[in-house]
Amino acid sequence: MIPRRLAQLFIGLAMYGISLAIFIRAGLGLDPWDVFHQGLAEKTGLSIGAVVIIVSFLVLLLWIPLRQWPGFGTLCNAVLVGVFADIGLALIPEVSHLGGQVGMLAGAVLLNGIASACYIGARFGPGARDGLMTGLARRTGWSVRISRTLIEVVVLGAGWLLGGSVGVGTVVYALAIGPLVQLLLPYFMVPEAAPVRIPAGIEDAETDSQPLGALPR
């Protein structure tokens, strides 16, 4: 399953970065973390992809007091989403009319849902932001919903103050992405390898049997 899992991980992360670029080009608002990323990019002059990478590794530092450990997929996520976001922005043109913007928003949400199901289903570890959410829930005893809401309200407010794009796309993403990933995940979840089971009686037969040269004296 390793080749399939690796291919699914890398394709999923590439699609996730491209979906971020489509969200930006749609111009109708971003999800909370990307509002924050866009606001930082505008204030620092860095590309949004560079900001995504930097923030990912800063968030990983917050895993330390939560006693979280990154997986291979976590580190790939931290780098590749930002790389492909910048590639997408270089290739995808801006759209000025509302019909095109709505179409791009719908496509971005769908692509993001497929991408999320792909890399989650590959089972190589959560992204830095998802790990922060689950780690906070585990250490505090809060529910995952409360932990996620708290984190996203904070980053959304900070991103808005920094000049990030908040709009109808922010609301659409918040309402649609959870059900969409839940719907798609069964199609992309790589099954765990089944343990090798020795049929009953074989172990006893092997223990009791002896080679001809080892007959009792």
Side-chain angles (χ1 to χ4, degrees):
M1 286 290 183
I2 292 296
R4 173 190 164 177
R5 289 173 64 198
L6 287 172
Q8 194 169 302
L9 172 69
F10 294 136
I11 291 171
L13 294 177
M15 290 193 299
Y16 200 101
I18 297 296
S19 73
L20 168 55
I22 299 173
F23 270 117
I24 293 172
R25 292 303 189 218
L28 295 176
L30 306 174
D31 68 276
W33 274 105
D34 290 325
V35 172
F36 180 62
H37 297 147
Q38 188 184 48
L40 280 178
E42 291 184 359
K43 293 299 183 183
T44 61
L46 297 172
S47 71
I48 194 163
V51 170
V52 169
I53 293 170
I54 292 168
V55 170
S56 295
F57 282 101
L58 291 176
V59 169
L60 284 177
L61 293 178
L62 298 177
W63 283 31
I64 297 174
L66 299 175
R67 297 180 183 177
Q68 290 270 104
W69 296 100
F72 174 70
T74 309
L75 300 177
C76 291
N77 186 309
V79 175
L80 293 180
V81 170
V83 170
F84 280 97
D86 279 348
I87 291 173
L89 287 171
L91 297 176
I92 300 169
E94 293 185 5
V95 176
S96 57
H97 53 90
L98 183 58
Q101 289 176 299
V102 171
M104 292 184 78
L105 174 62
V109 172
L110 178 60
L111 184 61
N112 192 276
I114 296 171
S116 299
C118 268
Y119 85 77
I120 292 170
R123 297 190 297 105
F124 275 115
R129 296 152 187 80
D130 290 334
L132 177 64
M133 171 188 67
T134 56
L136 184 63
R138 190 183 69 252
R139 295 290 291 173
T140 61
W142 300 341
S143 68
V144 171
R145 179 178 297 180
I146 290 175
S147 299
R148 176 171 182 165
T149 300
L150 176 63
I151 292 169
E152 293 195 347
V153 166
V154 170
V155 297
L156 178 62
W160 178 71
L161 291 173
L162 290 169
S165 176
V166 179
V168 65
T170 309
V171 177
V172 170
Y173 183 90
L175 295 176
I177 196 63
L180 187 58
V181 173
Q182 184 175 352
L183 175 67
L184 295 171
L185 191 56
Y187 298 99
F188 293 95
M189 182 62 71
V190 178
E192 296 186 28
V196 177
R197 297 184 180 275
I198 300 175
I202 290 182
E203 288 185 353
D204 295 336
E206 289 178 348
T207 302
D208 294 340
S209 63
Q210 300 182 54
L212 289 176
L215 292 173
R217 295 178 181 177

